[in-house]
Amino acid sequence: MANMIESQEFGKGDFVLLDQLTKEAFMDNLKLRFQRGRIYTYIGEVVVSVNPYKSMNIYTPEYVKDYKGREFWERPPHIYALADAAYKTMKRYLKDTCIVISGESGAGKTEASKIIMNYIASITNVSHRSEIDRVTGILLKSNVILETFGNAKTTRNDNSSRFGKYMDMNFDFKGDPIGGHINKYLLEKSRVVHQQKGERNFHSFYQLLLGSTEQTLNALHLKRDPTAYTYTNQGETNNMKSIDDKRTFKEMSGALKSVGFSHDEQQTLFNLLAVVLHLGQLEFVEEGQKVRIKNKEVVNYIASLIDSNAASTEEALLTRVVAARGEVINKIHSKEDACFARDAFAKAVYERAFLWIVERINGIIEVKLDVHRYGKSTVIGVLDIYGFEIFDNNSFEQFCINYCNEKLQQLFIELVLKQEQEEYLREGITWQNVEYFNNCVICELVEQSHKGIIAILDEACLNVGTVTDQMFLEAMDKKLKEHEHYTSRRLVPKDKDLQHDRDFRIIHYAGSVTYSVIGFMEKNKDQLFQDFKRLLFQSSNPVIKDMWPEGQQSVKEVTKRPLTAGTLFKNSMIQLVEKLASKAPYYVRCIKPNEIKSPIQFDDKRCLHQVEYLGLMENVRVRRAGFANRQPYQRFLQRYKMLSSYTWPNHQCRSDKEAVTALIKDISSRSDKGFDHDVAYGNTKVFIRTPNTLVTLEEKRSELIPHIIVLLQKMWRGANARRRYRRTVAIYKIMNRYRRYKMRCYLLEMNRRFANIKRMKDLGKSVQWAVPPKVLISLAQQMKLMHARWRAKYLIKSVPKDQWPAIQMKCAAYDALHNKRQGWLRPRKWEGNYLASMSDNASLASVFLTSVDKLRSKHGFRDVIFTAHVRKVNKHNKSEDRAIMVTDKLIFKLDPAKGYKPMHGVPLNKITGLSISSGTDQLLIIHLEGHDDLVTCIHKTTPQADDRVPEAVGRILRLVKTELRSELRVNVVQQAQVKLGGKSKSISVDQQNNASTNFRKVSNTMLMLVTCPT
């Protein structure tokens, strides 16, 4: 149950579950829940709602999700649960349902109806939103419009509905809204011309005066001051902080536009509101036997606003046409008659405008689907009707309103008992009768033919001659003197609370109400002279003309006497009750906690009175008389099957009924006090008599739930882990298979592309390599390298072996200089030992060879790898002509001027790297470990400016790799860094035409090589 979900600190969520059903226990539970912010409580499937008088964060989309598709007992009490139950019944069983919202004025009925409609709009099919949004939008926006024109401030409620509203929402077979219809009942139109102190006229007048633009007010000949108009200043309730008329006017204007009212239609409604206000300003003065209008400019305003002429308007206000025996007589009003006609005209204009608004909305939202094609639509009805009213001065309107509440209370009692009786009979359960107050006797007091109050009132109105309200009271006293629920001062002379010839009292189910008969007959006749109807029908405004079709009646035409207002209301109530009785009913019983609109005060006496007249105690007794709780077997098992080994996890019985029986007996046998006697088994449901049994079941369930949760978590986590493991294994298998597949496809494709590689002229160099899968990227690179090596090997086979060393050196140079140095691979022969060449060093070749022989015998090297004349710079920044000789063991620096005398020899393993420039100059730097770097520029070559640096780099790299089995780092830079005299210096190159090769000092840390371009 709901209270099992809520903590015990919030009281019982269902009054049926109270331990002791007394007024004190009922009120204590209601008060506790109100004080703890729980404004909803159940009586079975009836929702009791207490007005919180504050905003509550319990209507968010998260709450909608929580209650959608849930049963009453699955969530804490909420009006959403009732709305969802009505929607489910309608959708599942294609049965019309209705939600009856009742309670006194200010108890929150209008807000409850809006909450219900918003919920239903939120849970309907989200996949076809356009038409659904249109229909639900109109239904919701229509509330704003109807509240503006039909609600007013009373002494008890700032937004009291002064009319009854029954709204049908039509749904198709999928449960989506497709249309709707609104019925209105008894608009309190007397409020248009008169308000008691502390009250206001309808909201629409104040919104128009305070919210519209200056341009609109000027067009309507109005001032922005409600106190300036007779029909809006009687209640003396200006400067209302709780009502924002400017904001609500904008909302109302937006709602009119959204629903589908055109600009002309909206303007006509504003015109009619202005007409009513101007009518209240008319002043009549007597001049002899005639009556004239003192402020005729107001007549001009009215005539222009109804699109008529001033003369016809004035004539309708001062005279009336009477047809008698074929003759037409123009009867002049007295001042009293003129005032009566003016007020009647104002009330009729407003009422007819309100009726036209309702009909216009109905025309927009009517169901337009073909019944033969789409089937009959189902309906959810929402009844938001005035609550029971007891004012200081209760008149004809309060009489009708309270009669309406009597009819609804009668329907509530009958349907509740009827539903209980039918369910017990259907399930084969014995029913125990419950005594309750049947207010049928009060309904008959009002509506009975010939004897009821309405019949007596109609008879008085039909009598010829002067019949006063006092004569009507006298007639009631004669005919109803024996009725136990009726009294007056004439019948009870000692009751001084009743005034002679004015008051009568009816003892309603909600309490005694004293009514004043003054105005009863006038309001019951609801008379409006035909002259006003013709005036408005003849308007050139098509909207106004459409509102008054009866105005086309001829002056001489005699019609039947129309039904009185009381009879019309009685007939509409009987039809409403029949309509509600044909639907599956759901009830919201609204309670007003205090009279000062406080969110914290709970008036015990006031609330107890409402609980009594709403019959809530009787409702609880009816619910508890037989069985406090009943659930279908399947649902009962789903909730409590863990309590017995016979049903957990799944039962093996022949039916759910047998399983529930076994479960109950098993639990009962293990309890200190067996409760098998407290349970009855119906055809489809299990019935539990007392709340204690249900509490016991819930407590046992609550004890087991944590263990079940742990078990489920363990099983779920284990299942999840196994599922993840199997999924991971499967993923890796798939990935492995897929990789193999992609590898095979790639290799087969490359095999196809390289199938005839030996027959290609370039041996496959031009073959486009396919994009490899990620897993084969490294393999593809290795394959490219293998192909390159195979191709190189294949090409080298055609080269004589004596040229292989030169090729190897050029390959080494390629690796170091390709894309780094300009034009490094020029078509020239690499000789290496240029100083021993007669073509390059003819004058000193023999001298050089003699010096080499001496050095070879001394140091024991085998081969001379590279020799050249160079321009060298020393640690003192001085440049000198020298020669370098690279052998297989040492690098020598020689002095050509002294017969190539060796100046210094450095072991090969001391070389740490080479640096050259990226240009075509002959800068060659050999970096040495433990020595100054050898900074040189090759020159004196034959031919002139021969580029020998790439050859020197290639030969040295190949030498180090073959002799030392290591790799040298080659720096190709714009500005080289060197070490001279233990200091770091930078060297840049400046190539100039016809310049002699030389190193110049730029600064202590910078040198510049000036040389000719090669």
Side-chain angles (χ1 to χ4, degrees):
M1 294 296 292
N3 66 308
M4 290 297 108
I5 298 174
E6 291 184 312
S7 171
Q8 291 295 324
E9 65 176 305
F10 300 113
K12 302 288 186 181
D14 194 329
F15 286 113
V16 176
L17 300 180
L18 288 174
D19 297 328
Q20 298 293 328
L21 182 57
T22 62
K23 287 184 180 179
E24 292 74 17
F26 189 100
M27 294 305 298
D28 287 345
N29 190 62
L30 186 67
K31 183 176 183 178
L32 174 62
R33 291 184 63 77
F34 173 74
Q35 292 173 340
R36 297 298 172 88
R38 298 301 191 268
I39 63 172
Y40 297 117
T41 313
Y42 294 148
I43 302 177
E45 293 186 353
V46 174
V47 174
V48 179
S49 171
V50 183
N51 193 338
Y53 287 120
K54 64 180 180 180
S55 298
M56 301 194 71
N57 190 32
I58 58 173
Y59 308 107
T60 60
E62 289 73 22
Y63 274 84
V64 173
K65 292 179 182 178
D66 282 345
Y67 283 88
K68 182 179 179 181
R70 300 286 185 176
E71 302 298 334
F72 265 87
W73 46 268
E74 291 186 285
R75 289 288 184 270
H78 201 292
I79 197 171
Y80 281 173
L82 179 134
D84 195 77
Y87 179 76
K88 283 187 298 187
T89 299
M90 179 275 301
K91 187 174 181 181
R92 288 177 182 175
Y93 307 113
L94 297 179
K95 185 176 182 179
D96 293 346
T97 61
C98 65
I99 300 173
V100 180
I101 307 171
S102 57
E104 69 174 45
S105 179
K109 300 184 299 300
T110 301
E111 286 302 313
S113 69
K114 290 192 286 188
I115 291 169
I116 289 170
M117 292 180 61
N118 274 303
Y119 177 80
I120 293 174
S122 300
I123 64 173
T124 47
N125 193 347
V126 296
S127 59
H128 302 88
R129 292 306 308 179
S130 57
E131 180 62 15
I132 295 172
D133 287 342
R134 186 190 76 84
V135 173
T136 55
I138 293 174
L139 290 172
L140 296 174
K141 292 291 184 182
S142 66
N143 280 327
V144 178
I145 301 170
L146 296 179
E147 281 188 25
T148 294
F149 288 89
N151 288 24
K153 181 197 180 312
T154 65
T155 55
R156 292 187 173 185
N157 185 3
D158 289 347
N159 189 33
S160 176
S161 297
R162 307 317 301 160
F163 72 105
K165 178 181 67 175
Y166 175 75
M167 179 179 290
D168 272 334
M169 291 180 284
N170 295 77
F171 297 83
D172 61 13
F173 68 95
K174 303 187 299 298
D176 296 334
I178 56 174
H181 187 83
I182 299 171
N183 290 337
K184 71 96 181 170
Y185 301 97
L186 189 67
L187 177 72
E188 189 190 21
K189 60 183 179 181
S190 62
R191 182 173 293 272
V192 173
V193 299
H194 176 70
Q195 308 95 43
Q196 298 183 35
K197 189 172 182 179
E199 297 190 349
R200 296 205 318 175
N201 207 326
F202 291 101
H203 293 325
S204 54
F205 295 108
Y206 304 92
Q207 291 180 16
L208 177 66
L209 292 174
L210 299 175
S212 58
T213 63
E214 290 293 339
Q215 182 181 0
T216 300
L217 289 178
N218 292 334
L220 299 175
H221 311 290
L222 296 175
K223 295 183 291 185
R224 197 181 296 281
D225 183 11
T227 62
Y229 298 96
T230 304
Y231 287 164
T232 55
N233 64 9
Q234 299 172 32
E236 301 178 5
T237 54
N238 302 302
N239 301 321
M240 290 291 299
K241 294 182 180 180
S242 60
I243 302 176
D244 188 350
D245 292 304
K246 292 183 180 180
R247 177 183 60 79
T248 49
F249 178 80
K250 291 181 180 179
E251 292 176 358
M252 181 268 293
S253 301
L256 286 171
K257 185 176 180 181
S258 299
V259 169
F261 286 78
S262 66
H263 178 269
D264 291 341
E265 290 173 335
Q266 295 181 47
Q267 190 59 49
T268 299
L269 289 176
F270 297 157
N271 288 355
L272 294 177
L273 292 177
V275 166
V276 173
L277 292 173
H278 288 308
L279 283 171
Q281 301 304 100
L282 288 175
E283 297 181 31
F284 300 99
V285 293
E286 291 181 334
E287 292 182 350
Q289 294 183 348
K290 291 186 177 182
V291 175
R292 70 176 181 85
I293 298 175
K294 183 179 179 180
N295 44 352
K296 286 193 175 183
E297 70 279 1
V298 177
V299 178
N300 295 330
Y301 297 159
I302 295 171
S304 65
L305 291 170
I306 63 173
D307 289 333
S308 183
N309 60 75
S312 299
T313 304
E314 183 177 6
E315 183 179 0
L317 288 166
L318 296 177
T319 63
R320 60 175 293 203
V321 174
V322 180
R325 297 178 181 178
E327 296 184 6
V328 177
I329 301 172
N330 212 22
K331 184 179 179 182
I332 300 175
H333 288 320
S334 65
K335 182 178 179 180
E336 183 180 353
D337 290 340
C339 291
F340 170 81
R342 175 201 62 195
D343 290 348
F345 186 32
K347 291 187 289 185
V349 167
Y350 193 84
E351 182 188 37
R352 194 59 63 92
F354 185 80
L355 178 61
W356 178 84
I357 290 172
V358 173
E359 291 176 348
R360 183 76 176 86
I361 294 173
N362 285 337
I364 294 172
I365 62 175
E366 67 177 347
V367 178
K368 299 180 175 63
L369 294 180
D370 185 359
V371 177
H372 298 289
R373 181 175 181 183
Y374 294 97
K376 178 181 177 294
S377 63
T378 49
V379 169
I380 294 180
V382 179
L383 178 64
D384 172 17
I385 206 160
Y386 13 60
F388 197 87
E389 293 186 345
I390 305 176
F391 295 138
D392 294 334
N393 180 25
N394 300 293
S395 187
F396 180 75
E397 290 82 10
Q398 282 68 48
F399 172 76
C400 292
I401 287 170
N402 293 340
Y403 161 63
C404 168
N405 281 270
E406 291 283 359
K407 293 292 291 182
L408 294 177
Q409 177 67 8
Q410 182 186 25
L411 175 69
F412 173 72
I413 294 172
E414 288 180 354
L415 288 181
V416 167
L417 291 174
K418 181 182 178 182
Q419 285 178 337
E420 292 286 324
Q421 290 170 338
E422 286 183 350
E423 182 168 26
Y424 290 139
L425 181 63
R426 186 170 58 250
E427 294 290 333
I429 304 297
T430 304
W431 162 252
Q432 178 183 351
N433 289 323
V434 177
E435 293 185 3
Y436 62 94
F437 170 68
N438 191 339
N439 68 333
C440 179
V441 62
I442 302 176
C443 295
E444 290 178 352
L445 169 65
V446 176
E447 68 185 13
Q448 189 175 14
S449 300
H450 308 298
K451 297 180 181 180
I453 294 176
I454 292 178
I456 297 172
L457 180 60
D458 285 351
E459 185 179 348
C461 292
L462 293 174
N463 286 338
V464 179
T466 302
V467 181
T468 63
D469 292 321
Q470 290 74 21
M471 295 171 68
F472 159 61
L473 178 60
E474 185 178 349
M476 285 197 298
D477 290 344
K478 289 180 181 179
K479 293 187 177 183
L480 302 174
K481 62 182 178 181
E482 302 297 333
H483 203 289
E484 61 180 341
H485 290 276
Y486 173 86
T487 187
S488 69
R489 185 67 180 272
R490 184 179 290 106
L491 300 178
V492 186
K494 294 183 179 181
D495 190 348
K496 295 185 179 181
D497 290 335
L498 298 173
Q499 187 172 325
H500 277 294
D501 295 329
R502 192 193 76 174
D503 296 341
F504 69 94
R505 180 181 295 140
I506 296 177
I507 304 174
H508 288 281
Y509 78 95
S512 298
V513 182
T514 300
Y515 298 99
S516 170
V517 296
I518 296 175
F520 258 63
M521 292 186 62
E522 175 192 328
K523 294 174 181 177
N524 189 49
K525 289 178 181 178
D526 195 21
Q527 188 176 11
L528 179 68
F529 298 141
Q530 187 68 23
D531 305 72
F532 292 119
K533 299 176 183 178
R534 281 193 291 271
L535 174 69
L536 294 171
F537 179 75
Q538 292 168 3
S539 168
S540 58
N541 186 317
V543 177
I544 297 177
K545 184 182 181 72
D546 184 54
M547 290 182 185
W548 295 91
E550 63 269 41
Q552 62 185 328
Q553 180 182 322
S554 172
V555 176
K556 298 181 180 180
E557 185 177 346
V558 179
T559 59
K560 292 182 179 180
R561 185 184 297 269
L563 295 176
T564 62
T567 299
L568 287 171
F569 185 73
K570 180 189 73 173
N571 294 340
S572 67
M573 285 298 101
I574 293 173
Q575 293 173 1
L576 173 63
V577 168
E578 291 175 351
K579 182 181 291 186
L580 296 176
S582 67
K583 296 175 170 59
Y586 292 86
Y587 293 93
V588 180
R589 312 295 256 173
C590 297
I591 292 178
K592 186 177 182 180
N594 56 73
E595 291 291 343
I596 61 174
K597 305 178 181 66
S598 168
I600 58 175
Q601 181 177 341
F602 187 88
D603 188 333
D604 296 80
K605 185 177 179 181
R606 190 81 187 81
C607 293
L608 177 60
H609 176 67
Q610 296 174 75
V611 168
E612 288 176 341
Y613 80 65
L614 287 172
L616 300 184
M617 294 287 292
E618 287 80 0
N619 191 191
V620 178
R621 288 193 185 98
V622 168
R623 193 73 177 177
R624 289 167 62 111
F627 296 88
N629 181 266
R630 72 287 317 267
Q631 295 184 38
Y633 289 121
Q634 183 180 5
R635 190 184 304 161
F636 186 87
L637 280 173
Q638 184 178 356
R639 187 164 185 82
Y640 301 111
K641 63 181 181 179
M642 73 288 298
L643 302 182
S644 173
S645 58
Y646 293 108
T647 54
W648 179 259
N650 294 300
H651 69 82
Q652 301 297 322
C653 301
R654 289 178 295 178
S655 66
D656 289 344
K657 181 177 181 179
E658 285 188 12
V660 171
T661 304
L663 186 150
I664 294 293
K665 289 181 178 179
D666 183 32
I667 301 172
S668 180
S669 64
R670 290 186 278 112
S671 301
D672 296 335
K673 295 180 180 180
F675 50 79
D676 193 28
H677 64 281
D678 205 37
V679 179
Y681 305 97
N683 297 325
T684 62
K685 295 181 179 179
V686 58
F687 292 79
I688 300 174
R689 187 179 300 278
T690 63
N692 291 335
T693 299
L694 195 65
V695 169
T696 301
L697 291 173
E698 286 290 342
E699 287 176 349
K700 291 182 177 294
R701 180 178 182 273
S702 298
E703 292 173 1
L704 286 175
I705 286 298
H707 302 288
I708 294 175
I709 290 174
V710 171
L711 174 64
L712 291 176
Q713 287 178 339
K714 180 180 72 174
M715 300 301 292
W716 175 250
R717 288 168 180 161
N720 255 352
R722 287 187 292 273
R723 185 186 300 112
R724 284 195 299 268
Y725 171 75
R726 289 193 296 267
R727 186 177 297 171
T728 303
V729 170
I731 288 171
Y732 279 110
K733 284 184 178 180
I734 293 171
M735 289 172 58
N736 189 31
R737 293 288 184 180
Y738 184 72
R739 286 193 185 112
R740 290 183 181 182
Y741 165 76
K742 295 296 289 184
M743 291 167 60
R744 186 165 56 252
C745 291
Y746 178 76
L747 294 175
L748 289 174
E749 175 63 19
M750 295 311 300
N751 183 60
R752 183 187 65 80
R753 296 188 182 189
F754 284 88
N756 298 319
I757 191 172
K758 290 184 178 180
R759 299 178 184 177
M760 298 180 184
K761 292 183 178 179
D762 60 356
L763 297 176
K765 182 179 181 180
S766 60
V767 172
Q768 185 73 26
W769 286 73
V771 178
K774 288 185 178 180
V775 70
L776 292 182
I777 289 177
S778 60
L779 176 62
Q781 293 174 349
Q782 293 177 12
M783 291 171 62
K784 289 180 180 179
L785 183 59
M786 289 169 59
H787 172 255
R789 289 176 175 174
W790 172 85
R791 182 171 175 273
K793 182 178 180 181
Y794 202 87
L795 291 172
I796 287 175
K797 284 183 180 180
S798 60
V799 178
K801 287 191 175 184
D802 59 339
Q803 296 184 16
W804 284 19
I807 293 175
Q808 289 174 341
M809 287 185 288
K810 290 184 178 181
C811 287
Y814 176 89
D815 291 338
L817 306 180
H818 185 63
N819 292 330
K820 295 180 181 179
R821 178 181 168 90
Q822 300 175 10
W824 69 272
L825 191 58
R826 296 183 181 181
R828 56 179 294 278
K829 184 179 179 182
W830 287 10
E831 295 184 8
N833 193 359
Y834 290 99
L835 297 185
S837 172
M838 295 301 295
S839 59
D840 199 80
N841 190 23
S843 59
L844 297 173
S846 58
V847 177
F848 172 73
L849 289 173
T850 302
S851 177
V852 168
D853 289 340
K854 292 178 181 179
L855 290 172
R856 180 180 285 114
S857 61
K858 181 178 179 180
H859 295 284
F861 58 83
R862 297 188 310 275
D863 302 319
V864 176
I865 306 301
F866 181 80
T867 60
H869 288 114
V870 296
R871 188 70 172 172
K872 173 188 170 295
V873 63
N874 61 17
K875 60 183 179 182
H876 302 294
N877 301 324
K878 293 183 178 180
S879 299
E880 297 174 320
D881 284 337
R882 294 289 186 264
I884 60 171
M885 181 174 68
V886 180
T887 68
D888 56 356
K889 288 186 178 182
L890 299 167
I891 297 178
F892 293 97
K893 180 173 60 175
L894 309 174
D895 186 357
K898 297 181 180 180
Y900 294 102
K901 178 182 177 181
M903 300 180 64
H904 191 60
V906 181
L908 196 63
N909 58 7
K910 296 295 183 180
I911 301 176
T912 59
L914 303 175
S915 289
I916 62 173
S917 72
S918 58
T920 58
D921 56 86
Q922 298 302 294
L923 176 66
L924 175 63
I925 302 170
I926 302 175
H927 300 285
L928 302 173
E929 181 183 356
H931 302 271
D932 285 344
D933 293 339
L934 187 59
V935 182
T936 65
C937 178
I938 299 175
H939 70 148
K940 296 182 180 179
T941 60
T942 304
Q944 186 71 25
D946 189 19
D947 188 8
R948 295 181 182 175
V949 169
E951 180 182 354
V953 171
R955 288 184 177 277
I956 294 173
L957 290 176
R958 182 62 184 171
L959 174 65
V960 170
K961 187 172 183 178
T962 55
E963 296 295 331
L964 303 179
R965 300 288 189 268
S966 63
E967 302 285 343
L968 280 183
R969 178 172 53 86
V970 178
N971 302 314
V972 182
V973 294
Q974 294 286 345
Q975 192 174 60
Q977 298 296 321
V978 299
K979 184 178 67 174
L980 292 174
K983 296 180 180 180
S984 178
K985 297 183 180 182
S986 59
I987 297 178
S988 57
V989 178
D990 182 17
Q991 292 184 326
Q992 299 177 3
N993 291 327
N994 301 320
S996 59
T997 300
N998 201 11
F999 290 95
R1000 295 180 183 175
K1001 177 182 176 182
V1002 178
S1003 67
N1004 290 333
T1005 59
M1006 180 174 286
L1007 299 172
M1008 178 176 289
L1009 170 63
V1010 180
T1011 183
C1012 292
T1014 57

